Amino acid sequence: MAHKLTALLLLLAFTASVRPQDTSAPQAHQHNLMPVPARVQFQSGRLAVDKTFHVATTGFSDERLRAGIERALWRLEGRTGLTFAPGRATDESGAQLLVQTTGPGKTIPAVDEDESYTLDVSDQQARLAAPTVVGALRGLETLLQLLEGDRAGYYLPAISIQDKPRFPWRGLLIDSARHFTPIEVIKRNLDGMAAVKLNVFHWHLTENQGFRVESRKYPKLQLLGSDGLYYTQAEVRDIIEYARQRGIRVVPEFDMPGHTTAWFVGYPELASAPGPYEIERQWGIFDPAMDPTREALYKFLDNFIGEMAALFPDAYLHIGGDEVNGKQWNANPKIQAFMQAHGLKDDHALQAYFNQRLLKIIQKHGKKMIGWDEVLHPDLPKDTVVQSWRGQESLAQAAKQGYSGILSSGYYLDLMQPTDEHYLVDPVAANSDMTPEQLARVLGGEACMWSEYVSAETIDSRIWPRLAAIAERLWSPRETTDVNDMYRRLAVTSVRLEELGLTHRTYEGKMLRRLAADQEPAPLKVLLDVVEPVKQYNRGQQHPTTQLSALTSLVDAAHADPEQARRVRQMVNDLLGDAPRFQTQRASLTQIFTAWRDARPALELLIERSPILQEAAPLPGDLAPLGTAGLEALEHLSTGAPPPPQWFETKRAELEQAAKPKAAVEFAVVSAIQQLVVAANELPQLKNMPPAEWKKHVFELAAPQPAPSPR
């Protein structure tokens, strides 16, 4: 029977992972760099990192570079337990790290900042050279990622790196309007962005649910439209400087003419329908919109944008421009008469008229305009940047029309998609027919953290570590696409990010303890390891909330792309496709499946005693059958004995039940158990079945992954 099993598994060896794989040759030296540099060459030798480690600078140096070096040394001390000598910097000959910078770079961080650097490490010295301070900061992050250790101590491997980003615009949008984001949360996420070489913080500051920035010219905007949760101008300047120190631009977004209810709470005269207005507590697309026919509106915006342009130094100002449903416009006779008098045939034309008026105001105050796809119009000036939530094709069409653009479709972190789906989305489609000139207009991309379902407690876990994979896509060469290696390096990066104060790993324990009240949370951890929040925009249907809801339920504790669930899927793929690994993977999976099966009594008791968990009551009844099905399938695959009649139908029904979302979470391991069940059921027919047909049977029950839907 053992020989038959080996033959069976060898026949199955062609079965590939459900996730796409890279087929390029492996690198000679495995590293943990993320993002992967443009060019890496490992060499023989190592540079010791001990208490004598010193840094010297040559060429240009300023307070920003010195602060960056100080932060890097502080992190090295934290990782190694070493205390470096006071003074830090020495002359060139006595320094283990020499940082050579040609000049300061841009006074204000800009889209054309030179972020390139070279890093050469020998057994004598590490030399970091960059044309700008920002380039040196990027190189310092790479140097920190090189640190290794063994019995002899800590060291940097000998290496030669030449690096620069593939795209100049690599950002993260944080929506601070729907749920307010405290200053300390923003700062730690800026630190995380710098660690993975992102360079744009897109700050979404106004929404139907809140106006979050202080205006001294129009104070009722924040006083009446924010519930008292807004950033003072001093706090804004503090964030801008904090970001500048790390080579990150801050681009503000003031969404208009829609998504503006919070504006109208204090200034209802700006709206297209009479008030009064209240801060919106629900989620969705709402009717209120600015009245583009009012001259007083443009005077108001001139004053407001002038104030914000002086506050935010970046060259760009984002005006949103998305999701205007036109209902207030269509119901207002004065607006309809205006449209007829000016030859504006529809709402899109009226919005284009508004955008043209708005653009002149923005340009008057020395800024360039960015907007979502909806702003694209034949009369739009070519220096406008289009941010695309509609996808690669929409971005390509904008580039062909002469507009620069950035991609966000595929990078929506709030959709709770697995990391590899984000990772394999490229701003430029593989089959793109754009010319070199058009390709140059694709500036990069931005991940989006919309905040309907995040709080200060959970936001880090929704951003990290997935954002690091998106950062790699925007920095590294296009051909860097090995998913398995990405996940390997991401695990290391995720731990390193904790030293910056990010809570994406630690939040879970706190939430589990609270959910379990005074009970032991370990059974809940077994469940949490294999469930994930529902994807796309299904949470609102499964688990309705408002802006005032407490985000402390099981779904809020669950991870997107849970690590153990992904590991189970990989082990199942290895087990079915690699005879030598069968026994090893079988033993590991048996232990995991047994824990699922046996967790039910303790889980049910815990849920019974914790009212906040009542909605999760069906989940233990799904987890146990998943474990049992996995164990039984493994037994049949191990012995070669076919399952009894009706076994497959019974298991399939149980899996279909387990696949249904409950409590706004879903099991991330159903497809893996499905593969095992199908494989076990098909044993008797295997000898006469062509490989392609076998593969179809094994994977036919795997749940399809729908493409991300537009916002």
Side-chain angles (χ1 to χ4, degrees), residues 341-569:
H342 289 78
L344 303 174
K345 63 180 181 179
D346 55 23
D347 293 341
H348 185 60
L350 179 60
Q351 186 168 350
Y353 168 83
F354 170 80
N355 288 339
Q356 290 164 10
R357 295 287 303 269
L358 181 60
L359 177 65
K360 291 179 181 178
I361 295 171
I362 291 172
Q363 291 174 331
K364 169 185 172 182
H365 295 289
K367 301 296 184 182
K368 299 176 183 178
M369 189 169 82
I370 314 177
W372 297 97
D373 288 287
E374 289 92 332
V375 305
L376 196 58
H377 188 275
D379 297 329
L380 191 68
K382 300 300 184 185
D383 64 351
T384 304
V385 173
V386 177
Q387 184 165 4
S388 180
W389 58 263
R390 292 175 174 167
Q392 295 166 315
E393 181 57 32
S394 177
L395 184 63
Q397 289 302 317
K400 290 176 180 179
Q401 296 175 44
Y403 297 98
S404 295
I406 53 179
L407 182 70
S408 284
S409 174
Y411 303 142
Y412 273 39
L413 297 169
D414 61 310
L415 296 186
M416 308 308 286
Q417 300 290 2
T419 311
D420 56 347
E421 290 197 15
H422 297 304
Y423 186 66
L424 295 174
V425 173
D426 195 281
V428 178
N431 60 352
S432 174
D433 61 354
M434 285 188 283
T435 67
E437 182 182 9
Q438 293 164 351
L439 285 170
R441 298 189 189 115
V442 178
L443 300 178
E446 281 186 0
C448 295
M449 185 65 259
W450 301 106
S451 69
E452 287 95 334
Y453 303 111
V454 297
S455 65
E457 182 177 32
T458 63
I459 188 171
D460 291 3
S461 71
R462 275 49 184 147
I463 295 174
W464 304 101
R466 290 180 297 156
L467 180 60
I470 298 172
E472 178 161 285
R473 174 58 49 239
L474 299 175
W475 178 284
S476 300
R478 185 187 186 106
E479 58 271 17
T480 305
T481 55
D482 186 331
V483 169
N484 284 341
D485 189 61
M486 177 273 291
Y487 272 119
R488 179 189 64 78
R489 291 179 289 110
L490 186 67
V492 177
T493 300
S494 182
V495 173
R496 287 171 175 166
L497 288 168
E498 286 190 288
E499 73 189 18
L500 302 171
L502 290 164
T503 63
H504 58 293
R505 294 167 61 91
T506 58
Y507 86 106
E508 175 194 281
K510 180 173 66 172
M511 295 194 79
L512 283 183
R513 288 187 293 273
R514 184 169 61 226
L515 287 167
D518 58 348
Q519 303 173 80
E520 170 55 51
L524 200 56
K525 171 66 173 169
V526 175
L527 175 65
L528 198 68
D529 280 344
V530 292
V531 297
E532 58 189 351
V534 290
K535 300 179 180 63
Q536 307 292 330
Y537 297 111
N538 293 320
R539 174 164 174 171
Q541 302 172 13
Q542 292 280 324
H543 196 274
T545 64
T546 72
Q547 186 189 40
L548 305 179
S549 299
L551 299 175
T552 55
S553 300
L554 181 68
V555 61
D556 300 298
H559 293 265
D561 202 6
E563 184 177 347
Q564 187 182 92
R566 183 182 59 80
R567 192 163 60 246
V568 167
R569 294 194 299 266

Side-chain angles (χ1 to χ4, degrees), residues 53-339:
F53 193 84
H54 281 80
V55 182
T57 59
T58 182
F60 178 83
S61 180
D62 63 4
E63 53 82 23
R64 185 162 59 150
L65 178 60
R66 290 189 291 272
I69 292 172
E70 188 68 23
R71 291 194 302 272
L73 290 171
W74 175 80
R75 288 159 68 187
L76 272 180
E77 288 180 330
R79 292 185 196 175
T80 63
L82 299 169
T83 301
F84 302 134
R88 307 288 193 178
T90 64
D91 62 89
E92 296 182 25
S93 61
Q96 284 76 25
L97 171 61
L98 178 63
V99 180
Q100 181 178 8
T101 309
T102 306
K106 303 289 183 178
T107 303
I108 298 171
V111 70
D112 59 347
E113 184 86 59
D114 189 340
E115 300 176 87
S116 65
Y117 68 91
T118 61
L119 178 60
D120 294 285
V121 180
S122 69
D123 54 7
Q124 298 297 316
Q125 190 178 58
R127 289 178 172 264
L128 169 60
T132 67
V133 168
V134 172
L137 295 176
R138 306 294 181 244
L140 285 170
E141 293 295 344
T142 299
L143 182 135
L144 286 168
Q145 293 180 4
L146 286 172
L147 182 69
E148 297 182 25
D150 58 21
R151 287 185 176 183
Y154 290 98
Y155 66 94
L156 303 175
I159 196 170
S160 177
I161 294 175
Q162 294 83 44
D163 200 12
K164 64 179 180 179
R166 181 177 169 214
F167 293 106
W169 194 303
R170 308 176 310 281
L172 169 66
L173 177 153
I174 291 182
D175 171 12
S176 292
R178 290 176 173 87
H179 277 110
F180 183 72
T181 314
I183 290 288
E184 64 272 15
V185 176
I186 292 175
K187 286 185 174 181
R188 71 191 185 217
N189 277 280
L190 287 169
D191 284 326
M193 290 173 64
V196 295
K197 301 181 174 66
L198 292 172
N199 66 355
V200 180
F201 170 42
H202 176 164
W203 206 355
H204 188 81
L205 287 163
T206 65
E207 259 303 336
N208 296 301
Q209 293 80 14
F211 194 100
R212 305 297 185 193
V213 64
E214 176 191 17
S215 171
R216 294 172 181 172
K217 292 189 175 182
Y218 299 107
K220 287 190 291 184
L221 286 170
Q222 74 272 5
L223 294 178
L224 299 182
S226 74
D227 295 312
L229 298 172
Y230 64 91
Y231 307 101
T232 67
Q233 293 195 8
E235 289 172 328
V236 169
R237 292 189 185 94
D238 180 43
I239 288 293
I240 291 169
E241 177 58 20
Y242 195 90
R244 187 190 74 87
Q245 288 285 334
R246 289 149 182 81
I248 297 173
R249 300 164 47 213
V250 179
V251 176
E253 179 179 353
F254 307 104
D255 211 344
M256 58 184 100
H259 289 273
T260 42
T261 304
W263 298 61
F264 305 151
V265 178
Y267 299 93
E269 64 273 16
L270 303 178
S272 299
Y277 289 89
E278 295 180 350
I279 295 171
E280 184 57 65
R281 306 302 182 183
Q282 305 290 332
W283 314 124
I285 300 173
F286 299 95
D287 298 345
M290 292 177 175
D291 183 351
T293 70
R294 290 177 181 258
E295 284 302 313
L297 170 67
Y298 300 106
K299 181 178 179 180
F300 182 101
L301 292 177
D302 187 12
N303 289 331
F304 173 76
I305 289 173
E307 183 181 17
M308 294 299 108
L311 180 61
F312 290 91
D314 195 82
Y316 290 88
L317 189 146
H318 204 301
I319 59 99
D322 59 320
E323 298 179 329
V324 181
N325 66 21
K327 289 184 179 180
Q328 280 195 349
W329 293 349
N330 297 331
N332 186 317
K334 183 178 74 70
I335 292 177
Q336 292 301 302
F338 180 92
M339 291 173 64

Side-chain angles (χ1 to χ4, degrees), residues 629 633 647-648 651 655 673-682:
W647 179 84
F648 178 71
K651 297 306 166 186
L655 292 174
I673 305 302
Q674 285 173 333
Q675 292 167 36
L676 287 175
V677 167
V678 173
N681 187 63
E682 294 298 328

Side-chain angles (χ1 to χ4, degrees), residues 12-49:
L12 290 175
F14 68 86
T15 59
S17 168
V18 176
R19 307 296 190 193
Q21 303 290 313
D22 180 65
T23 57
S24 60
Q27 296 187 25
H29 186 109
Q30 194 174 65
H31 63 74
N32 294 317
L33 301 176
M34 194 169 210
V36 172
R39 185 170 180 270
V40 180
Q41 286 184 306
F42 281 92
Q43 300 166 348
S44 60
R46 54 191 274 170
L47 176 66
V49 177

Side-chain angles (χ1 to χ4, degrees), residues 572-641:
V572 168
N573 285 324
D574 289 346
L575 178 143
L576 292 175
D578 189 342
R581 293 189 184 184
F582 183 87
Q583 291 301 333
T584 301
Q585 302 294 35
R586 179 196 173 195
S588 298
L589 287 171
T590 296
Q591 184 178 12
I592 293 171
F593 295 162
T594 301
W596 298 355
R597 182 197 63 190
D598 296 346
R600 182 172 184 172
L603 262 175
E604 288 179 337
L605 182 62
L606 190 153
I607 291 171
E608 181 182 346
R609 295 177 176 177
S610 181
I612 193 174
L613 288 172
Q614 291 300 308
E615 62 178 355
L619 292 171
D622 290 334
L623 180 62
L626 284 171
T628 300
L631 290 169
E632 292 176 359
L634 286 177
E635 182 66 17
H636 292 302
L637 288 169
S638 299
T639 63

